[in-house]
Amino acid sequence: MKFHTIPIALLALSIPSCDKARSLAGRARSAVGSGGDKNTADDSGKVDPSLEKLVDRTAEGVVFRKDLPFPTRLDVKVTRTHEVVSRVFETSILGNTTTSLKGRQTTVTHLERAGDQVRYTLLESSFTEPVPEEQKKDKTKKPAVRQLVAPGAPLTYQRDGSKWTADGSGGFRGATLSKQLSPVFDLLLEENSLAPRKLWLGKKRIQIGTEIEVPKDLLPMLVTGNPEGKYTIRLDSIGAVHGHPCGVFTVHGSHKRQRVPDFEGNFTDEEVSVGSGRIWLSLLHPVILKEETDTVQDCRTGGNGSPVIRSQGTAKVSLTKDWKIPAK
């Protein structure tokens, strides 16, 4: 899964350019239905009939396939929201500050892959502050929406051997991000479902109600990078995310990892505990397409000359990927 952490200081309103932390703890939350031999659908809709034919399901359970050729062309729109209540601590040469943070951060990105070329576009990065309690009776009062990072022009990366480099049209920004992200670019592809996860469920059939322990050595199946921790997942139902067939698991546990990258060049250390949630694992490919979780998070971003931002608090995390294979 893709665990997403509080976009920590992004929100530190004092540093709008940081599209912070990757909410690690993301776990999807509810697919409708709970079992039996029939397919059930989550709130994203029913399974696409053409994709349902590819699902390997019998009375003995389902197989989470990894034998199908992984698409070389993909179009993925990723929507992340974090309902956060946290404290943000900033340390810089100018001194230390502490801020209380409450509201919803929304990040929407568009990713396109065609073989050795990947195009990234930031569509939205905003923070919505709730209406103060004393003003809620006034129906004219609307939540304040703050833009954290302005939507930017697409940035295209090209692979040359094992190295990913932004093309010349990205200018100074592209050159800077190339240097920062090239060593971790494959990790970003895996995290955003543009590449298959290296670890996945085995060939054994899994029945509704089966509970699975995910220890540290198998954790990259759910959390990319080199995480430490442990999760427990249980298959609750079969559902769909934008028509794509998925197994819907409940999830709880915790993990921590360091230097978690995002496409804006931010790196975050984070510790995440998932009290409850659900996650949608594709039945056709080793990718995670949806997460909804209630989390407690401790994140740290910055250093090496830039301000250090630390965020501690709770976050209700929601992540959905509209994962499409473009027509040739």
Side-chain angles (χ1 to χ4, degrees):
M1 320 186 241
K2 192 174 199 187
F3 292 96
H4 275 251
T5 35
I6 293 178
I8 137 180
L10 258 173
L11 308 187
L13 313 170
S14 61
I15 304 186
S17 62
C18 316
D19 192 54
K20 244 77 249 143
R22 247 177 192 354
S23 208
L24 301 242
R27 283 313 169 258
R29 194 168 137 214
S30 124
V32 183
S34 63
D37 231 2
K38 331 190 300 191
N39 280 341
T40 55
D42 70 347
D43 57 2
S44 298
K46 296 182 179 180
V47 177
D48 184 309
S50 64
L51 297 178
E52 188 170 16
K53 296 176 182 177
L54 300 175
V55 175
D56 186 350
R57 186 176 191 184
T58 68
E60 285 72 44
V62 293
V63 173
F64 285 80
R65 302 186 66 174
K66 52 186 176 182
D67 60 314
L68 296 173
F70 195 81
T72 56
R73 292 174 56 84
L74 282 167
D75 187 301
V76 185
K77 182 180 179 182
V78 184
T79 301
R80 300 178 176 91
T81 63
H82 304 74
E83 297 281 353
V84 301
V85 179
S86 65
R87 298 282 288 171
V88 177
F89 310 91
E90 179 181 352
T91 302
S92 70
I93 58 174
L94 300 179
N96 303 329
T97 60
T98 302
T99 306
S100 295
L101 198 61
K102 183 177 182 179
R104 182 180 70 251
Q105 182 182 357
T106 301
T107 305
V108 183
T109 58
H110 184 207
L111 295 154
E112 303 161 271
R113 181 170 190 177
D116 290 338
Q117 190 175 83
V118 171
R119 184 163 66 172
Y120 161 80
T121 308
L122 177 65
L123 300 179
E124 179 183 354
S125 178
S126 64
F127 187 73
T128 303
E129 299 175 358
V131 175
E133 196 65 37
E134 63 274 13
Q135 298 180 14
K136 284 186 176 179
K137 291 183 179 180
D138 185 349
K139 301 302 181 183
T140 65
K141 293 293 183 181
K142 304 295 182 183
V145 180
R146 186 176 304 221
Q147 181 174 270
L148 299 175
V149 181
L155 191 58
T156 300
Y157 293 86
Q158 184 75 37
R159 180 167 60 187
D160 181 7
S162 61
K163 186 177 181 179
W164 288 88
T165 307
D167 67 10
S169 65
F172 177 77
R173 172 173 175 259
T176 301
L177 288 174
S178 288
K179 183 177 180 180
Q180 293 174 317
L181 299 183
S182 185
V184 295
F185 205 83
D186 288 333
L187 183 65
L188 285 170
L189 298 182
E190 189 176 330
E191 176 117 356
N192 288 276
S193 299
L194 294 175
R197 288 182 176 263
K198 295 179 177 64
L199 288 178
W200 200 237
L201 295 166
K203 296 180 180 180
K204 183 179 179 180
R205 294 190 180 277
I206 301 174
Q207 295 184 329
I208 300 295
T210 299
E211 190 168 276
I212 301 170
E213 297 290 331
V214 185
K216 176 184 175 181
D217 58 332
L218 298 179
L219 206 52
M221 180 180 79
L222 304 180
V223 187
T224 55
N226 295 302
E228 295 183 3
K230 179 181 178 181
Y231 279 92
T232 300
I233 60 176
R234 185 188 68 210
L235 180 60
D236 266 9
S237 63
I238 303 301
V241 178
H242 296 287
H244 189 103
C246 294
V248 187
F249 290 80
T250 57
V251 59
H252 64 87
S254 64
H255 75 270
K256 62 181 179 180
R257 59 180 177 168
Q258 296 182 325
R259 300 283 295 167
V260 183
D262 67 19
F263 274 106
E264 292 295 316
N266 302 299
F267 290 81
T268 301
D269 297 342
E270 51 202 1
E271 295 185 28
V272 176
S273 176
V274 177
S276 64
R278 290 195 181 179
I279 177 170
W280 281 248
L281 275 61
S282 167
L283 283 164
L284 306 182
H285 297 288
V287 294
I288 296 171
L289 296 184
K290 188 173 179 179
E291 305 164 14
E292 291 180 1
T293 49
D294 289 339
T295 72
V296 176
Q297 303 183 8
D298 186 340
C299 308
R300 181 184 182 279
T301 295
N304 295 325
S306 63
V308 175
I309 307 291
R310 185 173 183 179
S311 174
Q312 296 175 316
T314 62
K316 290 187 176 181
V317 179
S318 174
L319 177 146
T320 304
K321 297 172 189 168
D322 189 354
W323 196 84
K324 297 177 180 177
I325 303 174
K328 293 183 179 180

